[in-house]
Amino acid sequence: MSRSEGRRRRGGGRAGATARRGGAVIEQMPWQIPVNIDRPTEPLGPEGIQAIHEGAMRILEEIGVVFLNPEALAIFKQAGCRVEGDLVRMDRDFVMEMIGKAPSTFTITPRNLERTLPIGGNHMLFGNVSSPPNYWDLELGKKVSGTREQCQDLLKLTQYFNCIHFAGGYPVEPVDLHASVRHLDVLYDKLTITDKVMHAYSLGAERVEDVMEMVKIAGGLSEEEFQAKPRMYTNINSTSPLKHDYPMIDGCLRLARRGQAIVVTPFTLAGAMAPVTMAGAVAQSIAESLCAIALFQYVAPGTPCVIGTFTSNVDMKSGAPAFGTPEYMRSTQMTGQMARFYGLPMRSSGVCTANVPDGQAMWETSNSLWASVQSGTNMVYHAAGWLEGGLIASPEKFIMDCEVLQHIQRYMQPATFATTADDIALGAIKEVGNEGHFFGIQHTQDRYTEAFYQPFLSDWRNYEAWEEAGAEWTAQRAHRVFKDITASFQEPAMDDTLRGELQEFVARRKEEGGAPTDF
């Protein structure tokens, strides 16, 4: 999508709900950084915040967290923590001192400077679905293993939609590419198909180092320029309960030493990987996050870090993960309170358990997304395209989710709650009086094209008009929009020299074997 398309204004009227021909496929909202002006939902009182904080500190002091990374163990020992084998216990004074070194706000600057992202404060950013191994679309009608072509199509949606601010992990895992070189091909695709903020998987030194080098090349950056400010980020999960693995900590240490951003997101499922009580699950999640962030701050004070939450519950009948539940919403809200208590930006997710893009998928995802709003989340992972608890990526779901994301963005805009004299509109009310209507008066005529949110996917016609037009269900309309976007997609501009350098780097690293695997 060209930059001029990115700034195109929304059109008014019901025509805004239909796909466009001969121009932009849809008329979407322009690129913007949403600012969450709502007061956060805070289920915890001051005593509740202290109770969860105390629980997290006692976990770190008395129970400890396993670090399966020898370098991390040596660093903790140097810092004066108690290290017994691979188990680390740390005093709360050390933890809080280190957490105090992390910035409460920072920016990440991609190769397109116009896509620079402010992290923290009241800013709310949305990212694409990341890491599902499988793919589903309406044309296939079945779940299949992901491919590079499907990954590319989802990256096109990531670039096309202005409500998607950053490119997270692979939007679907392209298992047709060997794991040793997959990161090279997918990062090349991400850096050429999109110009938004990049992510690196912390899954081995080679992958992290290769991604940093490719981000440098694509941005035309020197090493000094790369390290001067965050240009990319990684997201890691703890191995709950109370464990951090080798490669994720290794990758974070590499990024921290070069000034890049880190998101720490424990994956704590209440009733399985954490206590069945949500407060207990949140306390464990906080402990797992803080100990890693403390490590990174000790190594590189001021490392930009985000505290993440992926706390939900399991279905106690089957043991399967459940998302978008009332418990998920409350745990997200509680984590938001704790993030503010520690002065850290927060990451949450737009997730669901549904297997196809149906009603269940949308109400569960809406629950998740609105919990993100209510919690004061700064980065929303998996905001578009997630199905089956993260095992499926779907382009139809991606597009349906983007409609919801635009709802949220419009909801945040000052125009929806402005109270100027023109907004109170006493003159218009007086003109209409006790009879008549507001359709034809000048006040309405001057404002109707921009007065209300206009959907690109929802169909607001009555049943008869909808039936006469073909009776398309939402997922069918989304599939058509998906096909139109990918068919007409244009990559963002990139200097030919930089593109050539990227190609040469990928080719060289493939010749060298890429990243080692055990197969």
Side-chain angles (χ1 to χ4, degrees), residues 311-313 323-332 348-349 351 368:
T311 300
S312 191
N313 57 285
F323 297 102
T325 64
E327 293 80 10
Y328 178 93
M329 297 179 74
R330 283 302 192 199
S331 69
T332 303
S348 63
S349 300
V351 289
S368 301

Side-chain angles (χ1 to χ4, degrees), residues 25 60 86 105 114 126 164 204 215 261 291 331 333 349 361 383 392 408 425 455 494:
V25 174
L60 296 177
D86 54 17
T105 62
E114 294 181 7
F126 303 112
I164 301 298
V215 169
C291 63
S331 69
Q333 295 161 2
S349 300
I392 294 176
I408 293 172
M494 174 179 275

Side-chain angles (χ1 to χ4, degrees), residues 41-266:
T41 299
E42 298 190 329
L44 300 173
E47 70 287 348
I49 293 173
Q50 284 299 322
I52 289 180
H53 171 65
E54 179 68 17
M57 293 300 104
R58 290 189 63 185
I59 290 169
L60 296 177
E61 290 177 330
E62 300 172 18
I63 301 170
V65 177
V66 167
F67 280 80
L68 300 176
N69 184 294
E71 183 183 9
L73 295 172
I75 293 168
F76 278 123
K77 186 174 293 186
Q78 180 188 59
C81 299
R82 289 161 287 157
V83 179
E84 299 174 6
D86 54 17
L87 181 68
V88 181
R89 296 185 181 91
M90 56 194 76
D91 294 335
R92 66 184 67 197
D93 290 343
F94 167 77
V95 175
M96 296 304 291
E97 180 186 354
M98 293 302 108
I99 296 304
K101 298 179 184 295
S104 59
T105 62
F106 59 91
T107 60
I108 307 180
T109 305
R111 70 179 182 89
N112 180 353
L113 302 184
E114 294 181 7
R115 305 295 196 197
T116 298
L117 299 182
I119 311 295
N122 293 329
H123 298 114
M124 188 174 192
L125 309 169
F126 303 112
N128 59 346
V129 61
S130 301
S131 307
N134 303 302
Y135 175 91
W136 185 100
D137 70 28
L138 197 61
E139 186 174 348
L140 287 171
K142 63 180 181 179
K143 170 181 167 179
V144 298
S145 296
T147 67
R148 184 179 186 181
E149 181 179 2
Q150 292 160 354
C151 185
Q152 291 169 335
D153 282 344
L154 291 166
L155 287 171
K156 292 173 183 177
L157 298 183
T158 298
Q159 175 67 12
Y160 184 89
F161 278 98
N162 294 325
C163 60
I164 301 298
H165 300 99
F166 58 92
Y170 310 159
V172 69
E173 193 81 21
V175 298
D176 57 337
L177 299 175
H178 194 272
S180 62
V181 297
R182 186 178 300 161
H183 67 290
L184 297 167
D185 285 330
V186 177
L187 257 295
Y188 177 83
D189 291 341
K190 288 175 72 174
L191 286 165
T192 53
I193 292 174
T194 83
D195 59 6
K196 298 179 179 179
V197 163
M198 287 288 111
H199 160 276
Y201 285 111
S202 287
L203 297 173
E206 293 79 8
R207 292 178 179 86
V208 168
E209 297 288 350
D210 285 344
V211 173
M212 286 194 283
E213 191 62 29
M214 292 176 73
V215 169
K216 278 176 54 182
I217 292 170
L221 304 170
S222 66
E223 180 62 24
E224 183 180 17
E225 290 170 328
F226 179 74
Q227 293 193 27
K229 56 185 174 182
R231 303 282 183 172
M232 53 174 289
Y233 74 100
T234 190
N235 176 85
I236 66 164
N237 306 114
S238 51
T239 308
S240 302
L242 302 178
K243 188 179 296 179
H244 283 282
D245 70 13
Y246 176 90
M248 290 194 179
I249 294 297
D250 176 77
C252 288
L253 290 172
R254 292 173 185 276
L255 267 70
R257 288 176 171 129
R258 293 173 72 180
Q260 304 308 304
I262 299 169
V263 183
V264 183
T265 310

Side-chain angles (χ1 to χ4, degrees), residues 371-435:
S372 296
V373 173
Q374 295 163 349
S375 67
T377 287
N378 303 113
M379 296 180 72
V380 185
Y381 238 62
H382 311 299
W386 163 296
L387 286 173
E388 201 199 356
L391 296 178
I392 294 176
S394 162
E396 291 86 5
K397 177 66 164 35
F398 195 115
I399 288 165
M400 292 161 70
D401 287 337
C402 284
E403 182 83 278
V404 179
L405 298 183
Q406 287 206 153
H407 283 199
I408 293 172
Q409 290 195 160
R410 174 59 176 172
Y411 170 83
M412 296 297 179
Q413 289 179 343
T416 62
F417 54 91
T419 56
T420 66
D422 198 45
D423 292 295
I424 301 300
L426 287 177
I429 296 170
K430 182 178 180 179
E431 181 179 348
V432 173
N434 303 100
E435 297 181 3

